[in-house]
Amino acid sequence: MTYTDTVRKTFAITTPLYYVNDLPHIGSAYTTMAADAVARFERLRGKAVLMITGTDEHGQKIQRTAESNGLQPQEHCDKIAAGFDALWQKLNIQYDRFSRTTSPRHEAIVKEFFGRVWDKGDIYLGQQKGWYCVSCEEFKEERELLQGHRCSIHPNKEAEWRDEQNYFFALSKYQSQLEALYQERPDFIQPESRRNEVLSFVAQGLQDFSISRVNLDWGFPVPVDPNHTIYVWFDALLGYVTALLDPDSDPSLEKALEKWWPINLHLIGKDILRFHAVYWPAMLMSAGLPVSGHVFGHGFLTKDGQKMGKSLGNTLDPVELVDRYGADAIRYYFLKEIEFGKDGDFSETRFVDIVNADLANDLGNLLNRTLKMVQKYCNALVPNVNGEDIPADHPLKAIGLGLSDRTSVAYEALAFSEACREIFTLVRSCNKFIDEQAPWSLYKQGNSAAVEQVLYAVLESVRLSAYLLSPIIPSISTDIYQQLGFSLNFNEKTLINDSVTYDTHATWGTLPAQQQLGEPRPVFVRLEQA
């Protein structure tokens, strides 16, 4: 299963719009690193890419949090949104749009969308009775609550009993259309485990859900009844649409949808799956808009095998982590070591061991020692060898020839672990190959042609590995490329031009003979555990 659409030349991907009740946590960073890797991969392949992230800023929870901190809600939102943006900069996240649901442009989009759904007859006034979790901003059924009417997601918070008039969205009307969507597009919800969860939920029968609240100031007023405020999810999901607007265009649905819609891929945590895989497509159907391409719900993170939480005192501060160890190390560990879609664990000891073994020893040391040999034996120039002249059954070329195809399949399936495994098969084969061929001995024997072929094959394999790893470790890949004599910078979005294309650089044998090499220096300094 993949997100691929071979017809469209544009590619739009979203993270969730993160709720601003608190500063970003490691789970938010995890989703955003994954989205950034996919966006970078598609840019590498020459697509026009739009990566959307941002913040969801309305609702009772935000209002209460702001009040408890002695702030106005907008002040609180500005502070937390800036915290998300600062972390994305530290993690080298190349987003294109940062969507904030408190923006006036967003209000215009919400009003217009609400009008479409209202005109369709899918919004009505009704009575809502039930247990309401403020932290989830959601009414809960009795079966979803723990003892003492505590929310299963927020077990330290007791749900509040509500009996009030709300406006409802007629979700039940879309039961059969949603079931048809899931059947016609079996890869709409990924991975398979998440799809099964949604199918099971929908099969129990869909209930209409409330889209407004009373006695709440922090949000947009319902256009047909200003005594009601639009409920956070009906407002928040439309933040994806607002983000599609060019900065200087008028805020209208027509303008927002003309280039990038439908969005190819929504990346989310599994806790908000229902909103993206059930509510959102039904809302889009009601408004007469095409449904997004894919929804992928990834797993949760634990630390040292335990669920993270403030009460346990084992939270993982992503800012502190990246300040201590650097962005590429963090990006590499979380994307390589945790199978995307499943729950995964962070252990600092394992983290240090893995990145030292892979990035410092296997990759960094390989490049360093090979460049030093080329300096010594070939005057710091790429050996005078043509990749095409090396036979296809050469032990490194044989792995390298199909590597871009295998890693492309892995990236498209969001199998970052698999992409890394494929690439490091080549890296480790290079280390073994050098030890077996012993170019220092060949040099002593006067066999300079053999020395040059050995060193060229290794340098070219390192180059290809760095290129295919660049969506995950862009700064290390840039350093490798520059030491190999290229002026490429994988942190520049306009990487692709006539001389640098995916077709050439993702192919084994691209390294030009006699190219001047840079000064050898470590591309990754070994980490010490704090």
Side-chain angles (χ1 to χ4, degrees):
M1 286 200 194
T2 71
Y3 58 75
T4 308
D5 182 340
T6 52
V7 179
R8 291 172 70 190
K9 295 298 179 192
T10 58
F11 181 81
I13 181 171
T14 75
T15 71
L17 300 186
Y18 298 109
Y19 207 42
V20 294
N21 59 305
D22 207 347
L23 286 166
H25 54 72
I26 196 67
S28 311
Y30 180 51
T31 320
T32 312
M33 288 186 285
D36 184 63
V38 175
R40 284 173 179 271
F41 175 67
E42 290 301 332
R43 284 192 201 103
L44 210 57
R45 297 210 289 190
K47 283 203 175 179
V49 173
L50 194 78
M51 178 182 160
I52 295 165
T53 188
T55 43
D56 168 11
E57 303 183 6
H58 284 141
Q60 192 164 50
K61 189 176 178 182
I62 301 304
Q63 191 170 326
R64 288 183 181 180
T65 303
E67 286 167 1
S68 70
N69 291 325
L71 297 172
Q72 290 298 315
Q74 190 65 61
E75 284 181 291
H76 168 82
C77 293
D78 291 348
K79 178 183 169 188
I80 303 295
F84 276 92
D85 185 46
L87 178 59
W88 300 164
Q89 302 303 327
K90 281 179 179 289
L91 282 168
N92 204 356
I93 305 292
Q94 288 188 333
Y95 67 78
D96 299 287
R97 303 277 164 81
F98 193 98
S99 187
R100 295 186 60 184
T101 60
T102 49
S103 78
R105 285 158 67 81
H106 180 60
E107 184 171 13
I109 294 292
V110 172
K111 276 184 178 175
E112 189 181 345
F113 189 92
F114 184 98
R116 282 199 187 196
V117 179
W118 175 264
D119 292 344
K120 187 82 174 280
D122 287 344
I123 294 173
Y124 64 91
L125 191 62
Q127 195 72 18
Q128 178 87 9
K129 284 185 183 180
W131 295 100
Y132 185 73
C133 174
V134 174
S135 294
C136 291
E137 297 280 8
E138 184 186 12
F139 280 94
K140 299 286 183 179
E141 296 178 31
E142 285 276 1
R143 63 183 176 174
E144 296 179 275
L145 294 171
L146 305 173
Q147 196 172 4
H149 299 111
R150 294 183 180 276
C151 172
S152 57
I153 298 171
H154 304 97
N156 58 335
K157 302 274 176 71
E158 195 172 326
E160 301 176 3
W161 178 258
R162 298 280 176 90
D163 183 356
E164 60 189 36
Q165 272 201 329
N166 294 152
Y167 283 92
F168 284 78
F169 172 69
L171 181 66
S172 57
K173 181 177 167 181
Y174 291 91
Q175 173 102 21
S176 58
Q177 281 175 256
L178 286 168
E179 288 174 335
L181 168 72
Y182 306 145
Q183 189 170 352
E184 289 160 15
R185 289 166 53 185
D187 61 350
F188 171 66
I189 304 163
Q190 298 179 40
E192 191 71 22
S193 57
R194 302 285 107 80
R195 171 180 151 80
N196 292 337
E197 285 173 33
V198 171
L199 293 180
S200 173
F201 173 75
V202 174
Q204 293 171 38
L206 293 175
Q207 307 290 315
D208 297 348
F209 69 95
S210 68
I211 62 165
S212 78
R213 297 288 180 266
V214 288
N215 304 319
L216 172 64
D217 302 325
W218 189 237
F220 299 139
V222 170
V224 297
D225 186 349
N227 294 319
H228 285 252
T229 300
I230 293 178
Y231 162 53
V232 64
W233 280 103
F234 197 87
D235 158 8
L237 289 161
L238 287 161
Y240 299 135
V241 177
T242 307
L244 302 177
L245 288 164
D246 285 334
D248 54 354
S249 67
D250 294 330
S252 68
L253 279 175
E254 184 185 3
K255 284 285 182 190
L257 302 170
E258 63 187 7
K259 180 176 181 182
W260 298 99
W261 193 264
I263 285 165
N264 298 71
L265 178 62
H266 291 298
L267 278 193
I268 57 166
K270 62 182 179 180
D271 53 329
I272 51 173
L273 179 66
R274 186 187 307 174
F275 300 100
H276 288 78
V278 183
Y279 293 11
W280 183 222
M283 287 163 56
L284 292 167
M285 289 171 182
S286 175
L289 301 178
V291 173
S292 305
H294 304 277
V295 175
F296 192 104
H298 67 73
F300 287 158
L301 299 176
T302 55
K303 184 182 177 191
D304 300 320
Q306 280 192 307
K307 186 178 178 181
M308 282 183 262
K310 288 180 181 174
S311 57
L312 293 170
N314 69 337
T315 53
L316 199 56
D317 180 352
V319 175
E320 193 180 295
L321 204 61
V322 74
D323 282 346
R324 191 186 309 155
Y325 294 122
D328 275 14
I330 306 300
R331 291 169 66 105
Y332 182 75
Y333 178 84
F334 279 101
L335 295 178
K336 183 258 181 182
E337 200 56 25
I338 296 168
E339 189 177 337
F340 200 66
K342 295 188 176 177
D343 292 348
D345 188 63
F346 178 85
S347 150
E348 198 153 356
T349 303
R350 182 164 175 74
F351 160 74
V352 169
D353 289 348
I354 291 283
V355 294
N356 279 343
D358 291 2
L359 302 182
N361 297 2
D362 289 344
L363 182 61
N365 189 43
L366 171 67
L367 174 68
N368 197 260
R369 67 173 177 153
T370 308
L371 283 177
K372 283 178 176 173
M373 283 189 271
V374 176
Q375 223 176 19
K376 187 175 179 182
Y377 306 143
C378 310
N379 300 315
L381 298 174
V382 173
N384 193 14
V385 174
N386 188 321
E388 288 180 3
D389 296 336
I390 295 176
D393 62 354
H394 181 281
L396 299 185
K397 188 173 182 178
I399 299 169
L401 282 176
L403 186 61
S404 69
D405 291 339
R406 295 192 297 276
T407 52
S408 292
V409 168
Y411 276 122
E412 287 172 10
L414 306 179
F416 308 109
S417 305
E418 185 58 33
C420 291
R421 271 196 294 274
E422 289 285 0
I423 296 163
F424 271 84
T425 297
L426 178 58
V427 171
R428 291 185 182 110
S429 298
C430 286
N431 280 306
K432 184 169 178 251
F433 181 71
I434 281 192
D435 291 341
E436 288 173 347
Q437 296 298 313
W440 48 89
S441 297
L442 294 170
Y443 184 76
K444 283 178 184 171
Q445 294 161 20
N447 194 346
S448 58
V451 171
E452 291 201 349
Q453 193 180 91
V454 168
L455 296 178
Y456 179 89
V458 173
L459 286 181
E460 169 56 6
S461 297
V462 173
R463 181 208 62 78
L464 178 61
S465 300
Y467 187 79
L468 296 174
L469 282 168
S470 67
I472 295 172
I473 49 169
S475 297
I476 291 174
S477 292
T478 296
D479 202 356
I480 291 172
Y481 248 66
Q482 292 179 356
Q483 288 189 48
L484 291 174
F486 295 95
S487 58
L488 258 68
N489 182 346
F490 290 103
N491 288 312
E492 291 176 0
K493 286 186 185 177
T494 53
L495 184 71
I496 304 299
N497 55 46
D498 291 340
S499 62
V500 181
T501 65
Y502 186 80
D503 288 345
T504 53
H505 279 253
T507 304
W508 198 95
T510 297
L511 188 62
Q514 302 285 276
Q515 179 161 285
Q516 180 70 51
L517 295 169
E519 191 66 29
R521 63 184 181 276
V523 294
F524 187 81
V525 178
R526 286 180 62 82
L527 302 180
E528 296 297 330
Q529 187 170 339

